[in-house]
Amino acid sequence: STHLSFIDFINHFIYFHKPLVKMAGLRVLGTAGPKKAAKAAPSKGKSARYYPADDIPRPKHSRAKKHNAPKVRASLTPGTVCILLSGRFRGKRVVCLKALESGLLLVTGPYKINGVPLRRVNQAYVIATSTKVDVSGADVSKIDDAYFARVKSDSAEGEEEFFANDAAKPAVVSDQRKADQKKVDAAILKAVESTPLMKNYLGSNFSLKKHDRPHEMIF
């Protein structure tokens, strides 16, 4: 018969008006509804449920596994007479003995000539001269950076001693340091005395006058 049932009429309407039905979001009995959303893929691991209350500091990344010592200037060789530009002994002429692992220079006066003991100096505050002294007889193989490490005092300073206006305590030089100083200087003094006017040269201080031009000087 030409008479259509209500369900057939609805199916016929939906078939010819699919875009309108999709826009309205209708679902009619007897017709296929929208496809279910695909299930999300299960995660491999669970997310962390514990978060620390405080920020944990992380060490900074360093590309260099080992920090090498600074490069020493080619003019600073063992036996070179240098001029100190800063510190307690600025203006003194000293003899360079060797370069230490830290990049600092090991120098000596000698102590008997100008009062400069065995000490470390930074090469940035040193002028290398063209004068040389034979230091092959001085044995400084046992002297390194650890040799100059400060020794902590056993007696702890209390509050009363801290605020007391006492005079500064003099530095105490160990007997080992004194023996090493004499041993090293003895070998250098032989070379100094064999060269004319070398003792007077090391004993004099370096200074500039009003019209001196250091950038034009040849040391």
Side-chain angles (χ1 to χ4, degrees):
S1 64
T2 58
H3 180 70
L4 298 176
S5 63
F6 179 75
I7 298 297
D8 294 337
F9 174 77
I10 295 298
N11 291 335
H12 181 77
F13 179 83
I14 292 174
Y15 179 79
F16 289 101
H17 300 82
K18 286 182 179 181
L20 296 176
V21 175
K22 288 182 179 182
M23 291 176 61
L26 299 177
R27 183 183 180 188
V28 184
L29 295 177
T31 61
K35 296 182 179 180
K36 295 183 179 180
K39 295 183 179 180
S43 58
K44 296 182 179 179
K46 295 182 179 179
S47 59
R49 296 183 180 180
Y50 170 76
Y51 300 95
D54 300 329
D55 294 334
I56 301 175
R58 295 182 179 181
K60 294 183 179 180
H61 175 69
S62 177
R63 295 182 178 179
K65 295 182 180 179
K66 181 180 179 181
H67 298 280
N68 298 325
K71 185 178 179 180
V72 182
R73 301 202 305 265
S75 59
L76 297 172
T77 57
T80 302
V81 177
C82 306
I83 301 174
L84 302 182
L85 301 179
S86 67
R88 176 184 173 188
F89 302 102
R90 60 182 175 271
K92 297 284 187 180
R93 290 182 171 89
V94 295
V95 180
C96 177
L97 299 176
K98 69 174 182 178
L100 300 175
E101 187 178 356
S102 60
L104 301 177
L105 302 177
L106 177 65
V107 299
T108 184
Y111 183 80
K112 188 176 181 180
I113 296 178
N114 52 26
V116 181
L118 284 169
R119 61 188 290 109
R120 296 177 297 175
V121 296
N122 193 332
Q123 62 174 331
Y125 304 103
V126 162
I127 295 178
T129 66
S130 58
T131 307
K132 300 284 185 178
V133 176
D134 185 14
V135 295
S136 59
D139 183 15
V140 292
S141 58
K142 296 181 180 179
I143 301 178
D144 53 4
D145 291 305
Y147 180 83
F148 297 94
R150 294 185 179 181
V151 180
K152 296 182 179 179
S153 59
D154 298 334
S155 59
E157 189 178 28
E159 184 176 355
E160 297 180 358
E161 291 80 3
F162 179 78
F163 289 101
N165 295 326
D166 297 337
K169 298 179 180 179
V172 179
V173 182
S174 63
D175 296 336
Q176 180 65 31
R177 184 77 66 89
K178 294 179 181 179
D180 294 339
Q181 182 74 55
K182 292 180 180 179
K183 182 180 178 181
V184 173
D185 287 355
I188 298 177
L189 285 173
K190 292 181 180 180
V192 171
E193 292 174 356
S194 62
T195 305
L197 301 178
M198 180 61 71
K199 186 175 181 179
N200 296 335
Y201 177 71
L202 293 175
S204 62
N205 291 345
F206 173 78
S207 62
L208 293 174
K209 296 181 180 180
K210 185 176 181 180
H211 299 288
D212 289 343
R213 298 179 180 181
H215 61 283
E216 295 181 356
M217 292 183 178
I218 299 177
F219 295 96

